Amino acid sequence: MRPPRMNRALILQAPTRTPDGAGGYTQGWQTLGTLWAAVTPATGREAAALGAALARVPVRICLRAAPIGDPRRPIAGQRFTEGPRSFLILAVQETSARLLTCIAEEELVR
């Protein structure tokens, strides 16, 4: 099996909540670090949300493994960003002792 070509620098981010002073919160993102990965697109679908069409494109993101609990190991609910693009992580699976595969979804507003 040929190893994946990890040629894309993705920024791993975790969601944060900041109180808004009125009993609610504002969601933001905290940068955890940059990881090199291989991104493989899959087939997409279209959905409607808040009056705008959203294209949801599933992708597989392969990267080097890190131990459970390590801040470099992604978890579901976090996201990767690359410039203006963002990929919400839906699941993380160990492909081998050295590799992780993240099942993610890129949302594009059309």
Side-chain angles (χ1 to χ4, degrees), residues 39-47 54-60 87 90 103-108:
V39 179
T40 307
T43 59
R45 62 186 170 91
E46 205 169 292
L54 292 176
R56 295 177 186 253
V57 181
V59 295
R60 289 184 169 282
F87 306 94
L90 304 175
I103 308 302
E105 195 171 67
E106 179 180 20
E107 282 190 352
L108 304 169

Side-chain angles (χ1 to χ4, degrees), residues 8 10 29 39-49 54-62 75-82 84-92 101-109:
R8 298 186 51 185
L10 302 178
W29 294 93
V39 179
T40 307
T43 59
R45 62 186 170 91
E46 205 169 292
L54 292 176
R56 295 177 186 253
V57 181
V59 295
R60 289 184 169 282
I61 300 172
C62 186
I75 59 173
Q78 293 179 336
R79 74 177 184 181
F80 288 111
T81 61
E82 180 183 40
R85 301 174 73 182
S86 64
F87 306 94
L88 180 63
I89 301 169
L90 304 175
V92 179
T101 299
C102 297
I103 308 302
E105 195 171 67
E106 179 180 20
E107 282 190 352
L108 304 169
V109 178

Side-chain angles (χ1 to χ4, degrees), residues 5-18:
R5 189 167 176 221
M6 297 181 206
N7 60 353
R8 298 186 51 185
L10 302 178
I11 298 169
L12 179 62
Q13 297 181 326
T16 61
R17 289 185 175 187
T18 305

Side-chain angles (χ1 to χ4, degrees), residues 9 26 34:
T26 303
T34 302

